[in-house]
Amino acid sequence: GLSVKPSTPISYLDPWLSDFDVFLIMSVEPGFGGQKFKMETLERIAVLRKKLDAVHAKARIEVDGGINAETGAACKKAGADILVAGSYIFNGSDLRQAVQSLKKL
């Protein structure tokens, strides 16, 4: 897989669209948990999904940072395949319910 931070243009991935199985889009700055999801990530997901579809790549899009039931649903709608959730699951009052809310997406 190949990962990009929020400040890295999605076009940076263009040369490798057919070379990787997973593209991880960070929706927060890497380094510590609990950050708020950056809404501009949704457009980045949609752009990458269009680029992958255009070259018939089978790569999956993964999103990490600020994922909860609401942001996760928006990411899936934008074209994400995999969601990484930490704080939402482990800092909530009901771990099982948090996991189930994401599995339903």
Side-chain angles (χ1 to χ4, degrees), residues 26-44:
M26 295 297 300
S27 51
V28 299
E29 288 298 327
F32 60 95
Q35 296 179 64
K36 185 176 178 184
F37 181 86
K38 295 180 184 235
M39 294 306 288
E40 58 268 23
T41 302
L42 299 174
E43 178 64 22
R44 293 166 55 78

Side-chain angles (χ1 to χ4, degrees), residues 10-64:
I10 291 299
S11 61
Y12 177 81
L13 301 173
D14 289 353
W16 300 290
L17 294 176
S18 297
D19 296 330
F20 286 87
D21 297 322
V22 175
F23 290 96
L24 170 61
I25 297 179
M26 295 297 300
S27 51
V28 299
E29 288 298 327
F32 60 95
Q35 296 179 64
K36 185 176 178 184
F37 181 86
K38 295 180 184 235
M39 294 306 288
E40 58 268 23
T41 302
L42 299 174
E43 178 64 22
R44 293 166 55 78
I45 295 166
V47 167
L48 180 55
R49 172 56 57 209
K50 287 179 186 174
K51 288 175 180 270
L52 291 170
D53 290 349
V55 297
H56 307 289
K58 297 192 186 302
R60 298 173 81 187
I61 298 174
E62 182 173 359
V63 183
D64 184 359

Side-chain angles (χ1 to χ4, degrees), residues 37 65-75 83-85 88-89 98 101-102 105:
F37 181 86
I67 298 297
N68 57 37
E70 181 181 311
T71 59
C75 288
L83 305 172
V84 179
Y88 175 64
I89 293 173
S101 72
L102 294 174
L105 301 177

